[in-house]
Coordinates of all heavy atoms in Angstrom, one line a residue:
Chain A
A19 N 4.9 -2.6 -21.2 CA 3.9 -1.7 -20.5 C 4.7 -0.7 -19.8 O 5.6 -1.0 -19.0 CB 3.0 -2.5 -19.6
T20 N 4.4 0.6 -20.0 CA 5.0 1.7 -19.2 C 4.0 2.5 -18.5 O 3.0 2.9 -19.0 CB 5.7 2.6 -20.2 OG1 6.7 1.9 -20.9 CG2 6.4 3.8 -19.4
M21 N 4.3 2.6 -17.2 CA 3.4 3.4 -16.3 C 4.2 4.5 -15.7 O 5.4 4.3 -15.3 CB 2.8 2.5 -15.2 CG 1.8 1.5 -15.7 SD 1.5 0.1 -14.6 CE 2.8 -1.0 -15.3
N22 N 3.6 5.6 -15.5 CA 4.3 6.8 -15.0 C 3.7 7.3 -13.7 O 2.5 7.1 -13.5 CB 4.3 8.0 -16.0 CG 4.8 7.6 -17.4 OD1 6.0 7.2 -17.5 ND2 4.0 7.5 -18.4
C23 N 4.5 7.9 -12.9 CA 4.1 8.4 -11.6 C 4.7 9.8 -11.4 O 5.9 9.9 -11.6 CB 4.5 7.4 -10.5 SG 4.4 8.0 -8.8
S24 N 3.9 10.7 -11.0 CA 4.4 12.0 -10.7 C 4.1 12.3 -9.2 O 3.0 11.9 -8.7 CB 3.9 13.1 -11.6 OG 2.4 13.2 -11.5
Y25 N 4.9 13.1 -8.6 CA 4.7 13.4 -7.1 C 5.0 14.9 -6.9 O 5.5 15.6 -7.8 CB 5.5 12.5 -6.2 CG 7.0 12.5 -6.5 CD1 7.8 13.4 -5.8 CD2 7.6 11.6 -7.4 CE1 9.2 13.4 -6.1 CE2 8.9 11.6 -7.7 CZ 9.7 12.5 -7.0 OH 11.1 12.5 -7.2
K26 N 4.6 15.3 -5.7 CA 4.6 16.8 -5.5 C 5.8 17.3 -4.6 O 6.2 18.4 -4.8 CB 3.3 17.2 -4.9 CG 2.1 16.9 -5.8 CD 0.8 17.2 -5.1 CE -0.4 16.8 -5.9 NZ -1.7 16.9 -5.2
T27 N 6.2 16.5 -3.6 CA 7.2 17.0 -2.7 C 8.4 16.2 -2.7 O 8.5 15.1 -3.3 CB 6.6 17.1 -1.3 OG1 6.3 15.7 -0.9 CG2 5.3 17.9 -1.2
S28 N 9.5 16.7 -2.1 CA 10.7 15.9 -2.0 C 10.5 14.6 -1.3 O 9.7 14.5 -0.4 CB 11.8 16.7 -1.3 OG 12.1 17.9 -2.0
I29 N 11.2 13.6 -1.8 CA 11.0 12.2 -1.3 C 12.3 11.6 -0.8 O 13.4 12.1 -1.2 CB 10.4 11.3 -2.3 CG1 11.4 11.2 -3.5 CG2 9.0 11.8 -2.7 CD1 11.0 10.1 -4.5
N30 N 12.2 10.6 0.1 CA 13.3 9.8 0.6 C 13.5 8.7 -0.4 O 14.7 8.4 -0.8 CB 13.1 9.3 2.0 CG 14.3 8.6 2.5 OD1 15.4 9.1 2.4 ND2 14.0 7.5 3.1
N31 N 12.5 8.0 -0.7 CA 12.5 7.0 -1.8 C 11.1 6.8 -2.4 O 10.2 7.4 -1.9 CB 13.0 5.6 -1.2 CG 12.2 5.1 -0.1 OD1 11.0 4.9 -0.3 ND2 12.7 4.8 1.0
L32 N 11.1 6.0 -3.5 CA 9.8 5.8 -4.1 C 9.7 4.3 -4.4 O 10.7 3.6 -4.7 CB 9.8 6.5 -5.5 CG 8.5 6.5 -6.3 CD1 8.2 7.8 -7.0 CD2 8.5 5.3 -7.3
Q33 N 8.5 3.7 -4.1 CA 8.4 2.3 -4.3 C 7.2 2.0 -5.3 O 6.3 2.8 -5.4 CB 8.1 1.7 -2.9 CG 9.1 2.0 -1.9 CD 8.9 1.4 -0.5 OE1 8.7 0.2 -0.4 NE2 9.0 2.2 0.5
W34 N 7.3 0.9 -5.9 CA 6.2 0.4 -6.8 C 5.7 -0.9 -6.2 O 6.4 -1.8 -5.8 CB 6.7 0.2 -8.2 CG 6.9 1.5 -9.0 CD1 8.1 2.2 -9.1 CD2 6.0 2.1 -9.8 NE1 7.9 3.3 -9.9 CE2 6.6 3.3 -10.3 CE3 4.6 1.9 -10.1 CZ2 5.9 4.1 -11.2 CZ3 4.0 2.7 -11.0 CH2 4.6 3.9 -11.5
Y35 N 4.4 -1.0 -6.2 CA 3.7 -2.1 -5.7 C 2.7 -2.6 -6.8 O 2.2 -1.9 -7.6 CB 2.8 -1.8 -4.5 CG 3.7 -1.5 -3.2 CD1 4.2 -0.3 -3.0 CD2 3.9 -2.5 -2.3 CE1 4.9 0.0 -1.8 CE2 4.7 -2.3 -1.2 CZ 5.2 -1.0 -0.9 OH 5.9 -0.8 0.2
R36 N 2.4 -3.9 -6.7 CA 1.4 -4.6 -7.5 C 0.2 -5.1 -6.6 O 0.5 -5.6 -5.6 CB 1.9 -5.7 -8.4 CG 0.9 -6.4 -9.3 CD 1.6 -7.6 -10.0 NE 1.6 -8.7 -9.1 CZ 2.7 -9.5 -9.0 NH1 3.8 -9.2 -9.6 NH2 2.7 -10.5 -8.1
Q37 N -1.0 -4.9 -7.1 CA -2.1 -5.5 -6.4 C -3.0 -6.2 -7.3 O -3.6 -5.7 -8.2 CB -2.9 -4.4 -5.7 CG -4.1 -4.9 -4.8 CD -4.9 -3.8 -4.2 OE1 -5.1 -2.7 -4.8 NE2 -5.3 -4.0 -2.9
N38 N -3.1 -7.5 -7.1 CA -4.0 -8.3 -7.8 C -5.4 -8.1 -7.2 O -5.5 -7.8 -6.1 CB -3.7 -9.8 -7.8 CG -2.4 -10.1 -8.6 OD1 -1.3 -10.0 -8.0 ND2 -2.5 -10.4 -9.8
S39 N -6.4 -8.3 -8.0 CA -7.8 -7.9 -7.6 C -8.2 -8.4 -6.2 O -8.2 -9.6 -5.9 CB -8.8 -8.5 -8.7 OG -10.1 -8.1 -8.3
G40 N -8.5 -7.4 -5.4 CA -9.0 -7.7 -4.1 C -8.0 -8.3 -3.1 O -8.3 -8.8 -2.0
R41 N -6.7 -8.3 -3.5 CA -5.7 -8.9 -2.6 C -4.8 -7.8 -2.0 O -5.0 -6.6 -2.2 CB -4.8 -9.8 -3.4 CG -5.6 -11.0 -4.1 CD -6.3 -11.9 -3.1 NE -5.3 -12.4 -2.2 CZ -4.6 -13.5 -2.4 NH1 -4.7 -14.1 -3.6 NH2 -3.8 -14.0 -1.5
G42 N -3.8 -8.2 -1.2 CA -2.8 -7.3 -0.7 C -1.8 -6.8 -1.7 O -1.9 -7.2 -2.9
L43 N -0.9 -5.9 -1.2 CA 0.0 -5.4 -2.1 C 1.3 -6.1 -2.1 O 1.8 -6.6 -1.0 CB 0.3 -3.9 -1.7 CG -0.6 -2.9 -2.3 CD1 -2.0 -2.9 -1.7 CD2 0.0 -1.5 -2.1
V44 N 1.9 -6.3 -3.3 CA 3.2 -7.0 -3.4 C 4.2 -6.0 -3.8 O 4.1 -5.2 -4.7 CB 3.1 -8.1 -4.5 CG1 4.5 -8.7 -4.7 CG2 2.1 -9.2 -4.1
H45 N 5.3 -5.9 -3.0 CA 6.4 -5.0 -3.2 C 7.2 -5.4 -4.5 O 7.6 -6.5 -4.6 CB 7.3 -4.9 -2.0 CG 8.4 -3.8 -2.2 ND1 9.6 -4.1 -2.6 CD2 8.3 -2.5 -2.0 CE1 10.3 -3.0 -2.7 NE2 9.6 -2.0 -2.3
L46 N 7.4 -4.4 -5.4 CA 8.1 -4.7 -6.6 C 9.6 -4.2 -6.6 O 10.5 -4.9 -6.7 CB 7.4 -4.1 -7.8 CG 6.0 -4.7 -8.1 CD1 5.4 -4.0 -9.3 CD2 6.1 -6.2 -8.4
I47 N 9.7 -2.9 -6.4 CA 11.0 -2.2 -6.4 C 11.0 -1.0 -5.6 O 10.0 -0.3 -5.5 CB 11.4 -1.8 -7.9 CG1 11.8 -3.1 -8.7 CG2 12.5 -0.8 -7.9 CD1 12.4 -2.7 -10.1
L48 N 12.1 -0.8 -4.9 CA 12.3 0.5 -4.2 C 13.5 1.2 -4.8 O 14.5 0.6 -5.1 CB 12.6 0.2 -2.7 CG 12.9 1.4 -1.8 CD1 12.6 1.1 -0.3 CD2 14.4 1.8 -1.8
I49 N 13.3 2.5 -5.1 CA 14.4 3.3 -5.7 C 14.6 4.5 -4.8 O 13.6 5.2 -4.4 CB 14.1 3.7 -7.2 CG1 15.3 4.4 -7.8 CG2 12.8 4.5 -7.3 CD1 15.2 4.5 -9.3
R50 N 15.8 4.7 -4.4 CA 16.1 5.8 -3.5 C 16.3 7.1 -4.2 O 16.6 7.1 -5.4 CB 17.4 5.4 -2.7 CG 17.2 4.1 -1.9 CD 18.2 3.9 -0.8 NE 18.0 2.6 -0.2 CZ 17.1 2.2 0.6 NH1 16.2 3.1 1.1 NH2 17.0 1.0 1.1
S51 N 16.2 8.2 -3.5 CA 16.2 9.5 -4.2 C 17.5 9.8 -4.9 O 17.6 10.6 -5.8 CB 15.9 10.6 -3.1 OG 16.9 10.6 -2.1
N52 N 18.6 9.1 -4.5 CA 19.9 9.4 -5.1 C 20.2 8.3 -6.2 O 21.3 8.3 -6.8 CB 21.0 9.3 -4.1 CG 21.2 8.0 -3.4 OD1 20.3 7.1 -3.6 ND2 22.2 7.8 -2.6
E53 N 19.2 7.5 -6.6 CA 19.3 6.6 -7.7 C 18.5 7.1 -8.9 O 17.5 7.7 -8.7 CB 18.8 5.2 -7.2 CG 19.7 4.6 -6.1 CD 19.2 3.3 -5.6 OE1 17.9 3.2 -5.3 OE2 20.0 2.4 -5.5
R54 N 18.9 6.6 -10.0 CA 18.2 7.1 -11.3 C 17.5 5.9 -12.0 O 16.5 6.1 -12.7 CB 19.2 7.7 -12.2 CG 19.7 9.1 -11.7 CD 18.6 10.1 -11.5 NE 19.0 11.2 -10.8 CZ 18.7 11.4 -9.5 NH1 17.9 10.5 -8.8 NH2 19.1 12.5 -8.8
E55 N 18.0 4.7 -11.8 CA 17.4 3.6 -12.5 C 17.7 2.3 -11.7 O 18.8 2.1 -11.1 CB 18.0 3.5 -13.9 CG 17.4 2.4 -14.8 CD 17.9 2.5 -16.2 OE1 18.0 3.6 -16.7 OE2 18.3 1.5 -16.8
K56 N 16.7 1.4 -11.7 CA 16.9 0.1 -11.1 C 16.2 -1.0 -11.9 O 15.2 -0.7 -12.6 CB 16.3 0.0 -9.7 CG 17.2 0.7 -8.6 CD 16.8 0.4 -7.2 CE 17.4 -0.8 -6.7 NZ 17.2 -0.9 -5.2
H57 N 16.7 -2.2 -11.9 CA 16.2 -3.3 -12.7 C 15.9 -4.4 -11.7 O 16.6 -4.7 -10.7 CB 17.2 -3.7 -13.7 CG 17.5 -2.7 -14.8 ND1 17.0 -2.8 -16.0 CD2 18.2 -1.6 -14.7 CE1 17.4 -1.7 -16.7 NE2 18.2 -1.0 -16.0
S58 N 14.9 -5.2 -12.0 CA 14.6 -6.4 -11.3 C 13.8 -7.3 -12.3 O 12.7 -7.1 -12.6 CB 13.7 -6.2 -10.1 OG 13.4 -7.4 -9.4
G59 N 14.5 -8.3 -12.8 CA 13.9 -9.2 -13.8 C 13.4 -8.4 -15.0 O 14.1 -7.7 -15.7
R60 N 12.1 -8.5 -15.2 CA 11.5 -7.8 -16.4 C 11.0 -6.4 -16.0 O 10.4 -5.7 -16.9 CB 10.2 -8.6 -16.9 CG 10.6 -10.0 -17.5 CD 9.3 -10.7 -18.0 NE 8.4 -11.0 -17.0 CZ 7.2 -10.5 -16.9 NH1 6.8 -9.5 -17.7 NH2 6.4 -10.8 -15.9
L61 N 11.4 -6.0 -14.9 CA 10.9 -4.6 -14.4 C 12.1 -3.7 -14.5 O 13.2 -4.0 -14.1 CB 10.4 -4.7 -13.0 CG 9.3 -5.7 -12.6 CD1 9.0 -5.6 -11.2 CD2 8.1 -5.4 -13.5
R62 N 11.8 -2.4 -14.9 CA 12.8 -1.4 -14.9 C 12.1 -0.1 -14.4 O 11.1 0.3 -14.9 CB 13.3 -1.1 -16.3 CG 14.2 0.1 -16.5 CD 14.8 0.2 -17.9 NE 15.4 1.5 -18.1 CZ 14.9 2.5 -18.8 NH1 13.7 2.4 -19.4 NH2 15.6 3.7 -18.9
V63 N 12.7 0.5 -13.4 CA 12.2 1.7 -12.8 C 13.2 2.8 -13.0 O 14.4 2.6 -12.8 CB 11.9 1.5 -11.3 CG1 11.6 2.8 -10.6 CG2 10.7 0.6 -11.1
T64 N 12.7 4.0 -13.4 CA 13.5 5.2 -13.4 C 13.0 6.2 -12.5 O 11.8 6.2 -12.1 CB 13.6 5.7 -14.8 OG1 12.2 6.1 -15.2 CG2 14.1 4.7 -15.8
L65 N 13.8 7.1 -12.0 CA 13.4 8.2 -11.1 C 14.1 9.5 -11.6 O 15.3 9.5 -11.8 CB 13.8 7.9 -9.7 CG 13.5 8.9 -8.7 CD1 12.0 9.1 -8.5 CD2 14.1 8.6 -7.3
D66 N 13.3 10.5 -11.8 CA 13.9 11.8 -12.1 C 13.4 12.8 -11.1 O 12.3 13.3 -11.1 CB 13.4 12.2 -13.5 CG 14.0 13.5 -14.0 OD1 14.5 14.4 -13.2 OD2 14.0 13.7 -15.2
T67 N 14.3 13.1 -10.1 CA 13.9 13.9 -9.0 C 13.7 15.4 -9.4 O 12.9 16.1 -8.8 CB 14.9 13.8 -7.8 OG1 16.2 14.1 -8.4 CG2 14.9 12.5 -7.2
S68 N 14.3 15.8 -10.5 CA 14.2 17.2 -11.0 C 12.8 17.4 -11.5 O 12.2 18.5 -11.4 CB 15.2 17.5 -12.0 OG 15.0 16.8 -13.2
K69 N 12.2 16.3 -12.1 CA 10.9 16.4 -12.7 C 9.8 15.8 -11.7 O 8.6 15.8 -12.0 CB 10.8 15.7 -14.0 CG 11.6 16.3 -15.1 CD 11.5 15.5 -16.4 CE 12.3 16.2 -17.5 NZ 12.2 15.5 -18.8
K70 N 10.3 15.3 -10.6 CA 9.4 14.6 -9.6 C 8.6 13.6 -10.3 O 7.3 13.6 -10.2 CB 8.6 15.7 -8.9 CG 9.3 16.6 -7.9 CD 8.4 17.5 -7.1 CE 9.2 18.2 -6.0 NZ 10.3 19.0 -6.5
S71 N 9.2 12.7 -11.0 CA 8.5 11.6 -11.7 C 9.3 10.3 -11.7 O 10.5 10.3 -11.6 CB 8.2 12.1 -13.1 OG 9.4 12.2 -13.9
S72 N 8.6 9.2 -11.9 CA 9.1 7.9 -12.0 C 8.4 7.1 -13.0 O 7.2 7.4 -13.3 CB 9.0 7.2 -10.6 OG 9.5 5.9 -10.7
S73 N 9.0 6.1 -13.6 CA 8.3 5.3 -14.5 C 8.6 3.8 -14.2 O 9.7 3.5 -13.7 CB 8.7 5.6 -16.0 OG 10.0 5.2 -16.2
L74 N 7.7 3.0 -14.5 CA 7.8 1.5 -14.3 C 7.6 0.9 -15.7 O 6.5 1.1 -16.3 CB 6.8 1.0 -13.3 CG 6.7 -0.6 -13.3 CD1 7.9 -1.2 -12.7 CD2 5.5 -1.0 -12.4
L75 N 8.6 0.2 -16.2 CA 8.5 -0.5 -17.4 C 8.4 -2.0 -17.2 O 9.3 -2.5 -16.5 CB 9.7 -0.2 -18.3 CG 9.9 -1.0 -19.6 CD1 8.7 -0.8 -20.6 CD2 11.2 -0.8 -20.2
I76 N 7.4 -2.7 -17.7 CA 7.4 -4.1 -17.6 C 7.6 -4.6 -19.1 O 6.8 -4.3 -20.0 CB 6.0 -4.6 -17.1 CG1 5.7 -4.1 -15.8 CG2 6.0 -6.2 -17.1 CD1 4.3 -4.4 -15.3
T77 N 8.7 -5.4 -19.3 CA 9.0 -5.9 -20.6 C 8.3 -7.2 -20.8 O 8.1 -8.0 -19.9 CB 10.5 -6.0 -20.9 OG1 11.0 -6.9 -19.9 CG2 11.1 -4.6 -20.7
A78 N 8.1 -7.6 -22.1 CA 7.5 -8.9 -22.5 C 6.4 -9.3 -21.6 O 6.5 -10.3 -20.9 CB 8.7 -9.9 -22.5
S79 N 5.4 -8.5 -21.5 CA 4.3 -8.7 -20.5 C 3.6 -10.1 -20.7 O 3.6 -10.6 -21.8 CB 3.3 -7.6 -20.7 OG 2.7 -7.6 -21.9
R80 N 3.1 -10.5 -19.6 CA 2.3 -11.8 -19.6 C 0.9 -11.6 -19.0 O 0.7 -10.6 -18.3 CB 3.1 -12.8 -18.7 CG 4.5 -13.0 -19.1 CD 5.3 -13.7 -17.9 NE 6.7 -13.9 -18.3 CZ 7.6 -14.3 -17.4 NH1 7.3 -14.6 -16.1 NH2 8.9 -14.4 -17.8
A81 N 0.0 -12.5 -19.3 CA -1.3 -12.4 -18.8 C -1.3 -12.2 -17.2 O -2.1 -11.5 -16.6 CB -2.2 -13.5 -19.2
A82 N -0.3 -12.9 -16.6 CA -0.2 -12.9 -15.1 C 0.2 -11.5 -14.6 O 0.1 -11.3 -13.4 CB 0.8 -13.9 -14.7
D83 N 0.6 -10.6 -15.5 CA 1.0 -9.3 -15.0 C -0.3 -8.4 -14.9 O -0.2 -7.2 -14.4 CB 1.9 -8.6 -16.1 CG 3.3 -9.3 -16.1 OD1 3.7 -9.8 -15.1 OD2 3.9 -9.3 -17.2
T84 N -1.4 -8.9 -15.3 CA -2.7 -8.1 -15.1 C -2.9 -7.8 -13.7 O -3.0 -8.8 -12.8 CB -3.9 -8.9 -15.7 OG1 -3.7 -9.1 -17.1 CG2 -5.2 -8.2 -15.4
A85 N -3.0 -6.6 -13.3 CA -3.1 -6.1 -11.9 C -3.2 -4.6 -11.9 O -3.1 -3.9 -12.9 CB -1.9 -6.6 -11.1
S86 N -3.3 -4.1 -10.7 CA -3.2 -2.6 -10.5 C -1.8 -2.3 -10.0 O -1.3 -3.1 -9.1 CB -4.2 -2.1 -9.5 OG -5.5 -2.1 -10.1
Y87 N -1.2 -1.3 -10.5 CA 0.2 -0.9 -10.0 C 0.2 0.5 -9.4 O -0.4 1.4 -10.0 CB 1.1 -0.9 -11.3 CG 1.3 -2.3 -11.8 CD1 0.4 -2.9 -12.6 CD2 2.5 -3.1 -11.4 CE1 0.6 -4.2 -13.1 CE2 2.6 -4.4 -11.9 CZ 1.7 -4.9 -12.7 OH 1.8 -6.2 -13.1
F88 N 0.8 0.6 -8.2 CA 0.8 1.8 -7.5 C 2.2 2.2 -7.2 O 3.1 1.4 -6.9 CB 0.1 1.6 -6.1 CG -1.3 1.3 -6.2 CD1 -1.8 0.0 -6.2 CD2 -2.3 2.3 -6.2 CE1 -3.1 -0.3 -6.3 CE2 -3.6 2.0 -6.2 CZ -4.1 0.7 -6.3
C89 N 2.4 3.5 -7.3 CA 3.7 4.1 -6.8 C 3.4 4.7 -5.4 O 2.2 5.1 -5.1 CB 4.3 5.2 -7.7 SG 3.3 6.7 -7.8
A90 N 4.4 4.7 -4.6 CA 4.2 5.2 -3.2 C 5.5 5.9 -2.8 O 6.6 5.4 -3.1 CB 3.9 4.0 -2.3
T91 N 5.4 7.0 -2.2 CA 6.5 7.8 -1.8 C 6.7 7.8 -0.3 O 5.7 7.8 0.4 CB 6.4 9.2 -2.3 OG1 5.1 9.8 -1.9 CG2 6.5 9.3 -3.8
D92 N 7.9 7.7 0.1 CA 8.3 7.7 1.5 C 9.0 9.1 1.7 O 10.1 9.3 1.1 CB 9.3 6.6 1.7 CG 9.8 6.5 3.1 OD1 9.7 7.5 3.9 OD2 10.3 5.5 3.5
L93 N 8.3 9.9 2.5 CA 8.8 11.3 2.6 C 10.1 11.4 3.5 O 10.8 12.4 3.5 CB 7.7 12.2 3.1 CG 6.4 12.1 2.3 CD1 5.4 13.1 2.8 CD2 6.7 12.4 0.8
G94 N 10.3 10.4 4.3 CA 11.5 10.2 5.1 C 12.2 11.4 5.6 O 11.6 12.5 5.5
P95 N 13.3 11.4 6.2 CA 14.1 10.1 6.5 C 13.5 9.4 7.7 O 12.5 9.9 8.3 CB 15.5 10.7 6.8 CG 15.2 12.0 7.4 CD 14.1 12.6 6.6
G96 N 14.0 8.3 7.9 CA 13.4 7.5 9.0 C 12.2 6.7 8.5 O 11.9 6.7 7.3
N97 N 11.5 6.0 9.3 CA 10.4 5.1 8.9 C 9.1 5.9 8.9 O 8.5 6.1 9.9 CB 10.3 3.9 9.8 CG 11.5 3.0 9.8 OD1 12.1 2.7 10.8 ND2 12.1 2.8 8.6

Side-chain angles (χ1 to χ4, degrees):
Chain A
T20 299
M21 288 160 272
N22 302 297
C23 168
S24 61
Y25 55 92
K26 299 174 184 174
T27 63
S28 296
I29 61 172
N30 184 44
N31 61 56
L32 185 145
Q33 304 182 52
W34 284 90
Y35 289 85
R36 184 185 74 227
Q37 184 180 37
N38 292 87
S39 180
R41 302 298 302 278
L43 272 70
V44 175
H45 183 265
L46 298 177
I47 283 187
L48 180 152
I49 186 165
R50 303 197 186 280
S51 59
N52 61 353
E53 297 175 312
R54 293 298 168 257
E55 187 172 312
K56 282 189 89 167
H57 296 255
S58 176
R60 295 184 294 114
L61 306 180
R62 172 177 170 255
V63 167
T64 62
L65 178 65
D66 187 335
T67 53
S68 67
K69 295 181 179 179
K70 291 186 170 59
S71 67
S72 174
S73 68
L74 170 66
L75 168 67
I76 303 174
T77 60
S79 64
R80 306 166 181 168
D83 294 328
T84 295
S86 291
Y87 292 82
F88 295 91
C89 70
T91 50
D92 178 345
L93 304 183
N97 298 133

